[in-house]
Amino acid sequence: LRPEMRHYTLFIDGISKSLAATGVRVGWAFGPKPIIDKMKNILGHVGAWSPKAEQVATARFLSQPDEVNSFLETFRNEILKRLDGFYQGFMQLKSEGFQVDAIPPQAAIYLTVNINLTGKTKPDGQIIHSASDITRFLLDEARIALVPFYAFGASTDSTWFRLSVGTCTVEDINDIISNLRSALSLLK
């Protein structure tokens, strides 16, 4: 994009993130030759690498651009369906009067959601005071695990969460939203 940045840019990636190959630790780096040469020297003394079979399989797959592009297109479409499904589910809950919101999907495999239950009373009489309380309630009652934004440096009072769509299916979404609705309905 910016040829003048070539001598100042280092790009590092790996198959586990870029191609959703969880656990496969094969990666690559592009950058100025002096930096890449130093990286090679350091890595040459590390003594531990990904298994050769993973390296060979990754190289073979990456040398087939049509297959890579086909996989990426299918993967992106599936992720987008899940993100949209959760977003629509949260908007439905919001329209029903629940204290939830979501930012329209923008990228990655995460949806940014707001679940403001602060001050609500649980069936056992306990009051929800914090994002940590919200996280525990959602895990216990809705069987949903969310990452509170305070894990990324936001205030511990923040009611924003990150919802990953990486491990669910489109078919799971209605049940998950239904579980969330049922849990939220328990609160006063």
Side-chain angles (χ1 to χ4, degrees):
L1 294 174
R2 298 266 187 245
E4 62 274 11
M5 291 300 297
R6 179 185 182 118
H7 301 291
Y8 308 100
T9 303
L10 187 63
F11 176 83
I12 301 173
D13 205 351
I15 192 169
S16 66
K17 293 292 184 189
S18 66
L19 295 168
T22 304
V24 179
R25 298 298 181 220
V26 177
W28 46 85
F30 301 98
K33 185 173 178 5
I35 294 173
I36 297 297
D37 286 346
K38 289 192 185 299
M39 290 170 66
K40 285 181 188 177
N41 287 337
I42 292 169
L43 285 174
H45 297 286
V46 168
W49 300 275
S50 297
K52 184 172 182 179
E54 288 181 6
Q55 294 179 46
V56 171
T58 300
R60 187 172 293 152
F61 179 67
L62 292 176
S63 69
Q64 302 173 62
D66 291 341
E67 285 79 3
V68 170
N69 290 333
S70 174
F71 170 81
L72 287 173
E73 183 176 336
T74 300
F75 181 70
R76 286 182 189 127
N77 287 336
E78 289 300 313
I79 292 296
L80 187 56
K81 286 178 191 174
R82 291 181 240 168
L83 286 167
D84 286 340
F86 273 110
Y87 178 74
Q88 294 305 322
F90 269 80
M91 293 300 96
Q92 179 61 41
L93 292 172
K94 182 179 178 179
S95 75
E96 294 170 18
F98 293 106
Q99 294 296 116
V100 302
D101 204 353
I103 295 175
Q106 296 178 18
I109 62 170
Y110 307 106
L111 186 67
T112 300
V113 299
N114 187 300
I115 305 176
N116 189 355
L117 307 181
T118 307
K120 298 282 187 186
T121 304
K122 299 190 301 184
D124 64 5
Q126 291 184 353
I127 296 175
I128 296 175
H129 295 288
S130 66
S132 181
D133 291 344
I134 296 169
T135 304
R136 173 54 59 193
F137 173 77
L138 294 173
L139 188 59
D140 291 344
E141 297 297 333
R143 297 183 305 277
I144 298 172
L146 301 174
V147 178
F149 267 34
Y150 68 72
F152 307 107
S155 165
T156 55
D157 296 334
S158 174
T159 57
W160 287 93
F161 299 84
R162 185 172 85 169
L163 183 153
S164 172
V165 301
T167 60
C168 72
T169 65
V170 171
E171 295 75 26
D172 295 332
I173 295 170
N174 285 337
D175 289 340
I176 294 168
I177 294 296
S178 179
N179 288 347
L180 181 56
R181 178 182 288 109
S182 295
L184 296 175
S185 296
L186 296 173
L187 299 171
K188 297 179 184 173

